Amino acid sequence: MVDGTAAKPLRVERVTLDEIALPLREAFEAAWGGEHVRRFWLVGVHAEGLAGWAETVAGEAPLYGEETHAGLAEVVRGHLAPRLMAAPLARPEDATARFAPVRGHRMAKAGLEMAVWDWFARRAGRPLWKLLGGRGGEVPCGIVLGFAPPDVLAGRAEAAWAAGYRRIKLKIRPGFDAEPLARVRRALPGACLAADANGSYRRADIETLAALDRFDLDFLEQPLPPEDLVGHARLQSRMRTPVALDESIRCVEDVETAWALGAARVFNVKPGRVGGFEEVRRIAGFAGEVGASLWCGGMLESGVGRAAALHAASLGAFDRAADLSASSRYFAADLVVPPLELSPRGTLRIPDGPGIGVVPDPERLRRFRVGGFELNSAP
Ligand code: MG
C-alpha cells in the first residue's frame, strides 16, 4: 500500500467527460495523417469535493491506433464508468482490476485510470510521482518534427537543438527518409537524432531501412506495421541502430514478446495508450529486470496529459529523453495555466503540487469546451 492512500476508499460520485477542441499552432503531420485541432476528452473523477483529472489520446480517426475519440466516450459511458462506480476503490491500482473484464480499449481505460490516480494523489496532498515510485525533479526532453521540406526541417532542427532539446526526432515514410536525415545530420553532426516511421514501411524495405545505420540514429521507431514483430526482429538483426517500438506496444506482454523475439531494444511508452499508470509501472518493472530502454512519448496532449506523462517518465527505467515539448510548441493557448516551459537544459520540471500538479484553467475550459456529459453513481 502506498502511504497516504490507505485512509479511506474512493467512492466515485461523478465522472465528467468534457470534450475539448484545442487549436494547434500549425498542422502536425505524421505518416498516419495530420491534425489542425486536437480534440480530446478531459476526464474528471469526482468524490469528496475533490476532482482527479486526465485527458484521453484517441484520435478522431483510427489511424494511429484502433480506438477513436467518439468510440472512446461510448466505452466509458456504457462499460467503464459503471464498473468504476459500482463499488469503492481501496487504492488506485483497483481501477485496473475493475476494467480487466473489458477487452482492449486501453485509451478509454487510461482516461479513467489516470484520473483515479490523480484523485488519490491529490487527496494525499502529494505529487503523483511519489505514489508511482518515481524520482521527481526534471525530465530531459526531445522534440518531434512533422513532415516539411528537408531545408525547412534542418532550420527547425537547428533551432530546437539551440533551444536545448536533447534529441531531434524526424517523421519519415517511404520516399522521405535518407534525404531529410542526411540534411539534418549535415546541419547538426553531433546531435542526438532519431526517426519515426509510424509503421509505414514493409518487410520488402528492410535493406533500405538497414542503410539508415549511416546516420547514427539514437533509434529507428516503428518502421513496420504494429503487428509485424517478426519483421522487426529481422530488421534488428540486420541493423546496428536500436529498433524502437511504439504502436506495437499495448501492454507489458507486448514488450515481453518483442524482447524475447529481439524485435526491439527500446520502447516508447505512453500512459494514455497502454491503459494508464499501472501498466506503465508493469512495463517499467520488466524493462528494469531485463535492461530494456524506455522513453515516454507524447500524443499532442494539452498540459493535463503532458503533466501526467512527466510523472510517469520519472520512473527508473525511463532512461532516454521524453518526446514531451513545451506547451507553446503545439498550442497558442494551453488548457492549463501556467504553461509547461522548457528549461535551457532541455528539461521539463515535473509539477510538484498535489496529484499531477496542474488543473484545467476554468476560463480556458469554457473557451475550448465543445461538448461533454456526466455520469452519476446510483444514489
Ligand atoms: Mg511514434
Side-chain angles (χ1 to χ4, degrees):
M1 173 62 70
V2 178
D3 68 310
T5 64
K8 221 174 99 189
L10 160 61
R11 293 174 189 279
V12 178
E13 296 157 15
R14 197 159 50 94
V15 168
T16 52
L17 270 78
D18 291 303
E19 187 174 27
I20 308 293
L22 210 53
L24 291 167
R25 287 168 70 112
E26 56 188 61
F28 185 86
E29 288 199 44
W32 43 264
E35 289 189 65
H36 292 82
V37 171
R38 184 64 175 167
R39 201 175 272 264
F40 61 91
W41 300 101
L42 174 70
V43 179
V45 163
H46 305 261
E48 299 176 27
L50 270 178
W53 299 105
E55 77 178 80
T56 59
V57 301
E60 291 183 71
L63 300 178
Y64 168 84
E66 293 170 355
E67 294 177 74
T68 64
H69 172 71
L72 182 150
E74 287 314 301
V75 173
V76 168
R77 188 202 301 271
H79 304 284
L80 299 179
R83 286 173 189 275
L84 195 65
M85 293 191 283
L89 303 161
R91 23 175 240 153
E93 294 91 325
D94 291 348
T96 307
R98 201 67 64 77
F99 297 152
V102 175
R103 304 267 191 221
H105 295 285
R106 295 172 188 279
M107 292 178 177
K109 290 173 179 174
L112 286 170
E113 195 254 15
M114 292 165 73
V116 165
W117 274 95
D118 183 42
W119 188 93
F120 271 98
R122 280 183 203 277
R123 190 182 64 179
R126 310 178 73 202
L128 178 62
W129 62 264
K130 285 195 177 168
L131 272 71
L132 294 174
R135 52 193 168 209
E138 298 176 22
V139 173
C141 292
I143 198 168
V144 187
L145 300 177
F147 289 115
D151 281 340
V152 174
L153 277 178
R156 288 180 183 167
E158 284 176 308
W161 194 248
Y165 282 106
R166 304 280 185 94
R167 182 180 59 232
I168 311 288
K169 189 170 98 178
L170 302 191
K171 292 291 189 182
I172 62 168
R173 63 187 166 203
F176 189 85
D177 39 39
E179 192 196 343
L181 286 169
R183 182 71 192 77
V184 172
R185 179 49 89 204
R186 207 160 57 236
L188 294 168
C192 178
L193 192 61
D196 182 6
N198 290 106
S200 55
Y201 293 82
R202 296 296 175 266
R203 288 186 189 180
D205 302 313
I206 282 180
E207 292 311 313
T208 306
L209 292 165
L212 300 180
D213 262 345
R214 67 185 187 277
F215 299 115
D216 287 318
L217 302 178
D218 189 36
F219 53 78
L220 172 62
E221 180 177 353
Q222 200 69 52
L224 303 174
E227 299 79 8
D228 193 8
L229 294 182
V230 170
H232 282 100
R234 282 186 195 161
L235 173 62
Q236 183 66 90
S237 72
R238 300 270 302 106
M239 179 165 217
R240 175 171 49 85
T241 305
V243 171
L245 292 175
D246 174 4
E247 287 92 330
S248 291
I249 303 305
R250 299 159 300 178
C251 54
V252 66
E253 290 83 359
D254 286 339
V255 178
E256 291 173 353
T257 306
W259 188 257
L261 284 172
R265 299 206 283 266
V266 186
F267 301 91
N268 180 340
V269 179
K270 302 171 176 174
R273 188 195 68 224
V274 299
F277 293 122
E278 182 57 14
E279 198 65 21
V280 171
R281 295 208 300 181
R282 290 175 183 166
I283 292 172
F286 174 76
E289 268 171 40
V290 302
S293 171
L294 305 182
W295 88 99
C296 186
M299 297 278 293
L300 289 182
E301 290 111 321
S302 85
V304 172
R306 264 169 311 130
L310 284 171
H311 286 269
S314 89
L315 289 169
F318 286 82
D319 56 359
R320 276 178 151 84
D323 285 337
L324 296 167
S325 296
S327 298
S328 59
R329 155 96 177 112
Y330 294 126
F331 305 109
D334 200 344
L335 194 61
V336 302
V337 178
L340 302 174
E341 310 275 16
L342 193 77
S343 78
R345 299 173 299 286
T347 62
L348 289 173
R349 173 156 283 286
I350 304 172
D352 50 14
I356 57 173
V358 298
V359 289
D361 177 63
E363 186 274 324
R364 300 274 170 93
L365 184 51
R366 272 194 299 278
R367 193 181 346 156
F368 298 118
R369 187 182 186 280
V370 293
F373 60 92
E374 67 173 65
L375 304 158
N376 291 284
S377 69

